[in-house]
Amino acid sequence: MIPFLDLRAAYLELKPRIDAAVARVLDSGWYILGPEVEAFEAEWAAYCEAAHAVGVANGLDALTLALRALDIGPGDEVIVPSNTYIATWLAVSGVGATPVPVEPDPATHNIDPTRIEAAVTSRTRALLPVHLYGQPADLDPILDIARRHNLRVVEDAAQAHGARYKGKRIGAHGDIVCWSFYPGKNLGALGDAGAITTNDAALAERVALLRNYGSRQKYVNEEPGVNSRLDPLQAAVLRVKLDVLDAWTGRRRAVAAAYAGGLADAGLILPHVPDWAEPVWHLYVVRSPARDALQARLSEAGVGTLIHYPIPPHCQAAYAEMGLAPEALPLARRLAGEVLSLPIGPHLEKRATDMVIQCFYKDCDGE
Ligand SMILES: *Cc1c(COP(=O)(O)O)cnc(C)c1O
């Protein structure tokens, strides 16, 4: 059996260090915010080549508080990819604004910058690109459109820990960058966790305020905030895992390179990497019109695959009220029917990678 992702193996490799970090927090007697969270925030900001990081409870809250910090709310529009995890849209609708979807470049699956300007209206306040599958979106044209139309740029970097765009780490190209440390992400906690990074001190301070009841000083509330604090236990775990992030990204790159070579003649559309992109391979997504049959064959051979994502946000019951027909966003809908995510992760061995590749060339019935 080849699992899609082995989270237990990730823990076991680091077990002595993680256990010691958890014990350190338990022993400290300090369980909300405090030195462990501050230390992780400083280390994460430095890693992301950003001036500030603020830890929050999860990736959806990072997006939501980023939008609130920019005073985006009812009556405002935010441009989002049609092809993304639903959290990107939920953050926008959650603050009372309207998500305005723009279709992807089918080569990269990321938002197509050439389609953005047609979606800008007098109500547009921000652009919200996603670095999907760990591949940076094409940020320069996005930042240029934002400058010309006086819009803010919020990045959903929940899948892009350590990725680089034109040599610079994802972390502060736009006004504010949102991170998830959900266990399955490239930098994953042992529970929910998230953060924002930014070069804007005022925005960082606003998110820090909002995540903690709108309070800087205990029992003094400057605005109606929420409770969305990064747990110090998770911060301590993340500090251990940040130490190995680049090494583990290297292992993901080796798997991706093996797939790229081994699957070149398998009749699939393989991921396209533009020359300005250094992806971190959160997912390795292939495309085929025969996706369902392929997935069934791999499953019979004991290979775990997933679909990211089977139903685009505009086709979800959650967005039925928007009244968008499935065909309104044909590219998002088409990708949902053709994409297949192959096993990838820092603990997928060479032998397993080769077995996955073999499944695309013959009946892999274990013979
Ligand atoms: C995981 C993810 C999120 C949400 O993160 P949570 O920590 O689960 O709230 C948002 N956007 C994208 C693209 C993601 O992959």
Side-chain angles (χ1 to χ4, degrees):
M1 299 298 280
I2 300 175
F4 177 73
L5 178 67
D6 192 346
L7 287 177
R8 186 160 183 270
Y11 167 61
L12 291 178
E13 182 181 333
L14 302 172
K15 182 172 164 49
R17 294 178 62 191
I18 289 177
D19 290 359
V22 168
R24 180 177 75 231
V25 176
L26 296 181
D27 206 44
S28 74
W30 196 281
Y31 307 123
I32 296 290
L33 296 177
E36 206 70 53
V37 171
E38 284 164 25
F40 172 69
E41 287 172 338
E43 289 161 16
W44 183 237
Y47 180 86
C48 294
E49 301 175 7
H52 310 278
V54 179
V56 297
N58 56 64
L60 175 59
D61 282 2
L63 289 160
T64 304
L65 297 184
L67 294 168
R68 281 194 64 184
L70 293 168
D71 292 313
I72 291 170
D76 297 332
E77 294 177 357
V78 176
I79 290 180
V80 296
S82 61
N83 179 48
T84 182
Y85 180 54
I86 197 167
T88 318
W89 288 43
L90 286 175
V92 176
S93 46
V95 300
T98 303
V100 175
V102 164
E103 290 266 75
D105 172 350
T108 64
H109 299 211
N110 271 323
I111 194 164
D112 183 347
T114 68
R115 294 169 180 261
I116 289 177
E117 226 151 357
V120 173
T121 73
S122 59
R123 291 170 174 248
T124 310
R125 292 285 318 283
L127 309 178
L128 208 178
V130 179
H131 308 300
L132 201 65
Y133 308 153
Q135 285 244 46
D138 193 359
L139 285 168
D140 276 350
I142 293 170
L143 292 165
D144 183 56
I145 293 164
R147 225 171 282 122
R148 280 188 286 109
H149 294 270
N150 196 25
L151 308 173
R152 311 308 290 263
V153 175
V154 179
E155 297 169 59
D156 181 341
Q159 304 187 357
H161 313 79
R164 289 178 190 272
Y165 177 73
K166 298 186 179 172
K168 182 176 150 41
R169 276 253 164 80
I170 296 300
H173 292 86
D175 293 286
I176 188 160
V177 181
C178 305
W179 303 93
S180 164
F181 307 117
Y182 179 81
K185 310 290 188 184
N186 288 30
L187 179 60
L190 300 177
D192 279 310
I196 63 94
T197 52
T198 179
N199 281 342
D200 185 327
L203 278 180
E205 205 177 325
R206 185 89 190 277
V207 172
L209 199 65
L210 286 168
R211 75 165 171 189
N212 190 29
Y213 290 111
S215 168
R216 221 177 304 250
Q217 193 189 331
K218 211 170 168 82
Y219 307 131
V220 179
N221 301 85
E222 300 174 33
E223 63 174 315
V226 295
N227 178 351
S228 180
R229 298 175 293 226
L230 174 61
D231 184 332
L233 280 167
Q234 300 303 340
V237 170
L238 288 167
R239 293 180 71 194
V240 174
K241 295 184 101 178
L242 179 54
D243 226 33
V244 299
L245 178 59
D246 285 342
W248 286 15
T249 297
R251 297 186 203 169
R252 288 176 180 272
R253 289 194 168 124
V255 174
Y259 282 151
L263 295 174
D265 303 315
L268 302 165
I269 300 177
L270 300 181
H272 167 71
V273 181
D275 55 13
W276 40 256
E278 287 173 60
V280 290
W281 301 108
H282 173 58
L283 298 170
Y284 192 92
V285 176
V286 300
R287 269 177 72 194
S288 167
R291 189 268 315 277
D292 291 342
L294 284 172
Q295 185 177 37
R297 202 162 99 206
L298 287 159
S299 169
E300 265 167 48
V303 176
T305 60
L306 290 174
I307 295 167
H308 298 92
Y309 295 91
I311 307 172
H314 78 282
C315 297
Q316 297 279 5
Y319 284 107
E321 272 186 18
M322 275 181 75
L324 283 167
E327 323 78 69
L329 297 162
L331 276 171
R333 192 174 176 225
R334 168 136 192 234
L335 291 176
E338 297 186 352
V339 292
L340 184 65
S341 303
L342 305 185
I344 193 165
H347 298 89
L348 188 71
E349 287 171 2
K350 178 81 175 70
R351 206 170 46 89
T353 310
D354 291 341
M355 274 179 60
V356 175
I357 292 167
Q358 278 313 307
C359 286
F360 286 90
Y361 292 102
K362 61 175 171 83
D363 288 335
C364 41
D365 48 13
E367 148 270 337

